[in-house]
Amino acid sequence: MSANSFDARAELVVGSRRFEIYRLDALADRFDVARLPFSLKILLENLLRTEGNGSVTAADIEALACWDAAADPSVEIAFTPARVLLQDFTGVPAVVDLAAMRDAIVELGGDGARIEPLVPAELVIDHSVQVDVFGTRDAFARNAEREFERNAERYAFLRWGQNAFERFAVVPPDTGIVHQVNLEYLARVVFVAERAGELPLAYPDTLVGTDSHTTMVNGLGVLGWGVGGIEAEAAMLGQPMSMLLPQVVGFRLDGTLPEGATATDLVLTVTEMLRAKGVVGRFVEFFGAGLAGLPLADRATIGNMSPEFGSTAAIFPIDAETIRYLRFSGRPPEQIELVEAYAREQGLWHDEHTPEPRFSDTLALDLGEVEPSIAGPRRPQDRVPLRAARERFHEALATFAEPSPAPAAAAVATAEIDQGAVVIAAITSCTNTSNPSVMVAAGLLARAAVARGLTSRPWVKTSLAPGSRVVTEYLERAGLTEPLEALGFNLVGYGCTTCIGNSGPLPEDVSAAIAARDLAVVAVLSGNRNFEGRIQSEVKMNYLASPPLVVAYALAGTMDIDLVEDPLGSDGDGEPVYLRDIWPSSREIADTVTAAVQSDMFRRSYAEVFDGDHNWHSLEVPVGDHYDWRESTYVRRPPFFEGLAAEPNAPAEIAGARVLAVLGDSVTTDHISPAGAIKRDSPAGRYLQEQGVPVAEFNSYGARRGNHEVMVRGTFANVRLRNRLGADGGASLPEGGHTRHLPDGEVLAIYDAAMRYAQEGVPLVVLGGKDYGAGSSRDWAAKGPLLLGVRAVIAESFERIHRANLVGMGILPLQFMPGESAASLGLTGEELIGVAGVGELLAAGERPLVARVSADGRNFEARVRIDTPMEVEYYRHGGILQYVLRQLLS
């Protein structure tokens, strides 16, 4: 088929400029394209434009154009994103892999220059700054200085990558959070590809990112989602992304938010509703009369939380609010003009006359019903109305700690700390710091609290980590910096900080008080994730809240309070001060935002976004097209391409495998591959000390992701991991990364047991429950198990990104049949496991794929979650990167 089989090429004239586009209405005489969901129209244009590249056929285009909203996903399409977005935690191992692939292709007789991004790739360094210093005016400068001391080698490696790869750009540290930088600056909405001798090609801005919250830009009408680093690397190298044509759930919004409710309360409500609905692997698309009054920042807040309710994307259409935001955030006038013209021409524009799309399913929310809420203490979808927070806290506390009437509460800085004490209050993360209304609300509440003589409790570690420098500027212009600082919310850095576990150490007296009584203490943060062991290793309970509620809980110092009815404290006259007394009105917030947040701030903040400061420019950067691998504890050549043959071997059957871990429901990628602190006596800690790294210089697992030796030792090392292996359901195993080596039963660290199994030539499997691999997109949650020797994971269900990562690393994802589980089948994890029939099924191309599993003589079937023919190829080659490397060789 030629690229013009549907005669879709046309010209678009915008002012004095001319562009080539692929018109969607070229199919209108044969298909009801106008009523396709917005997101599927973008995918349809993608297929029209890339037909004839070897991956897309006319049949694929027809299948999408006549999309059956009710059908289960079964049609495979090849999606080619316009660009790739990375952050440093996931981006460093991606660039490490690309550097290793350059070496590997040369060793196999190929040209290393073939390893070069074919689409623009932009990396924002935001995950490395830690909250070492807080509550002081110089906290930002000192944390930034410490950040460079810890990470200079990683940053120099990224600068090498920026020089070695033509289409790879890096936003330096201390600039902003990747998703906010993407929303405020990088996103194009309509992408333009310049072509020599031809008209420039205009098409929708699409992307994949190595962070699950890439979906934040969905609020701007840009289709994109999070993938693992290995998929992103393949996309950078021009490999189309294999996906099943998804179902699309329509979410109707009506009305307006009531007084006192915030965008955070809205997104927690939406998260609860959609997680209950079940939208894993589906697109969610927002529509309805409520869109017109929903600011872009609120839309982005909802899009950001897409991975928390499980959808692939959560998108809003392009409309007048999109254009207003582009203009407000300082985009060039000619770009704004193009976006509106293109959206109207292609039927991507939404207004009151737009027909309601066909959806696979729908649900609705009256915004007027949203009420102040928090979520926790373990999962984002566990919403708690603020009026019930105290009661629900006590219910949760029973699962974390026994009541402790004695000894008395421990003294901390002349005050007391007890069960439920809030020891971290952090205004942080892309989710909320990108939204001026909630940030201004936090500042106004702080100002009112200071005026009434309130202060944060002395045991609370307070921090403010905005998503961009724009936030700092408008808080300063509104006169809100000083009251926030008076309560301890000083600027600590521009990065994810507490939200991804970089909360830093607690003060020594607080740590001692927690340890003395094994207290179940609390973190309250304006982030998007509150999984166990993620925020801070000493903190057992984590709650998500809006920025003003973070301030309120810092004032209260405890979760054991009813913020609706109980006073936060007393003023100078001894009169009680309630939250309602200091909560700002919607009018006050709106007036402050209007006066303080100005368009010039965006243009000024992003004028030199790629330049960096003196720390960035003082780095000693390696030179050359091939990286000079050195003895390093940060960046090492990975083993994934060692001994790679020019042709793949057939997938081997799994026989005589041992179970490394038996895990329950909602095991996250944080459980599998933690990002936070490295313990001194852990396998990773011992390794670093053997390499001469002092404990104070351990940094974090996230920062060490360029070194496979650290990461394999940190796999399953989360301090809250519960391994249920054994007839006693794991009751005798310590909490954390421990298992039993079988058949002798010796209790070992999971890494140590895996290495012993490797010496014995024993393959490994993992048993899991529902939603296995929830949370972050981190590829090390698949790379680490592979290096431990895990050949298969058998679970009740998988989260989307992690399942794809397992296939991408050559690990077999198997799903128990409906109604079955490890428990229902009587599996304790002490059995010898065999998996048969996979290779022949893959070769035959049968659907659905069902493998035969044996466990000490008991036999059962499990569904093979290799979902597309392209994934079959990836698995057959031992992984997606091995497949791409062999394709480039041939």
Side-chain angles (χ1 to χ4, degrees), residues 560-881:
D560 193 8
I561 185 175
D562 183 343
L563 288 183
V564 177
E565 299 294 339
D566 297 341
L568 290 166
S570 300
D571 63 16
D573 298 325
E575 293 296 320
V577 180
Y578 296 87
L579 181 60
R580 59 181 175 268
D581 298 334
I582 59 175
W583 192 271
S585 69
S586 298
R587 171 54 57 192
E588 185 182 9
I589 294 169
D591 289 347
T592 306
V593 169
T594 300
V597 188
Q598 301 296 324
S599 185
D600 64 296
M601 297 176 175
F602 295 89
R603 288 189 290 270
R604 190 161 48 249
S605 292
Y606 290 109
E608 299 175 341
V609 67
F610 295 107
D611 289 357
D613 60 12
H614 67 283
N615 290 318
W616 183 247
H617 291 289
S618 64
L619 294 171
E620 184 178 341
V621 182
V623 296
D625 292 337
H626 288 261
Y627 187 69
D628 179 18
W629 303 101
R630 310 167 184 184
E631 287 299 318
S632 169
T633 57
Y634 276 104
V635 177
R636 291 177 65 94
R637 181 174 174 176
F640 305 121
F641 310 109
E642 291 178 0
L644 184 71
E647 294 293 330
N649 297 317
E653 302 295 324
I654 300 173
R658 286 292 183 185
V659 177
L660 186 63
V662 179
L663 305 173
D665 295 343
S666 298
V667 167
T668 71
T669 51
D670 280 274
H671 286 111
I672 303 167
S673 183
I678 301 171
K679 285 189 165 292
R680 176 197 297 264
D681 58 352
S682 67
R686 294 196 302 269
Y687 164 81
L688 288 173
Q689 290 174 84
E690 290 166 2
Q691 305 306 307
V693 179
V695 174
E697 301 299 324
F698 275 6
N699 211 330
S700 66
Y701 282 114
R704 298 275 181 185
R705 283 184 187 163
N707 182 349
H708 62 278
E709 297 287 3
V710 173
M711 298 311 296
V712 66
R713 287 166 172 81
T715 304
F716 295 113
N718 187 298
V719 295
R720 302 296 174 213
L721 185 79
R722 297 174 184 86
N723 187 355
R724 303 177 180 181
L725 188 147
D728 64 353
S732 58
L733 282 174
E735 188 177 43
H738 295 86
T739 192
R740 290 188 182 87
H741 175 268
L742 297 172
D744 57 69
E746 183 180 355
V747 175
L748 297 169
I750 282 180
Y751 169 78
D752 294 330
M755 294 303 100
R756 186 178 296 182
Y757 282 129
Q759 292 172 355
E760 297 164 351
V762 176
L764 301 172
V765 300
V766 171
L767 303 181
K770 298 182 182 69
D771 301 328
Y772 184 85
S776 300
S777 62
R778 61 193 60 165
D779 51 345
W780 268 109
K783 288 178 174 178
L786 176 75
L787 295 182
L788 289 178
V790 173
R791 297 279 306 282
V793 176
I794 314 175
E796 293 177 61
S797 64
F798 292 90
E799 286 288 289
R800 175 187 62 86
I801 299 176
H802 185 62
R803 184 206 62 79
N805 279 342
L806 291 174
V807 176
M809 289 309 300
I811 295 177
L812 184 64
L814 298 173
Q815 191 162 311
F816 290 110
M817 302 304 281
E820 294 185 347
S821 65
S824 73
L825 294 169
L827 303 179
T828 67
E830 297 172 311
E831 302 84 4
L832 284 171
I833 303 293
V835 181
V838 175
E840 59 200 59
L841 284 172
L842 294 179
E846 296 184 16
R847 290 287 186 278
L849 302 177
V850 177
R852 303 184 299 275
V853 184
S854 62
D856 282 357
R858 281 169 289 176
N859 299 311
F860 61 94
E861 292 184 332
R863 181 182 166 199
V864 180
R865 288 299 312 279
I866 298 178
D867 290 352
T868 70
M870 198 70 251
E871 288 187 342
V872 171
E873 286 299 299
Y874 298 157
Y875 182 74
R876 192 172 68 83
H877 281 260
I880 188 171
L881 297 183

Side-chain angles (χ1 to χ4, degrees), residues 408-412 415-419 421 423 459 510 513-514 517 519 521:
V412 177
E416 294 183 334
I417 179 172
D418 206 340
Q419 302 283 19
V423 297
W459 55 83
V510 175
I514 295 169
R517 298 172 57 211
L519 293 175
V521 294

Side-chain angles (χ1 to χ4, degrees), residues 73 246-251 270-286 305-314 360-363 771 798-800:
Q247 291 188 336
V248 182
V249 175
F251 197 122
V270 169
T271 299
E272 179 187 43
M273 292 175 65
L274 286 170
R275 182 57 79 167
K277 182 77 172 177
V279 293
V280 173
R282 303 160 99 181
F283 285 179
V284 173
E285 197 162 302
F286 294 87
M305 292 285 276
S306 176
E308 271 54 74
F309 41 83
S311 67
T312 302
S360 305
D361 200 353
T362 59
L363 69 168
D771 301 328
F798 292 90
E799 286 288 289
R800 175 187 62 86

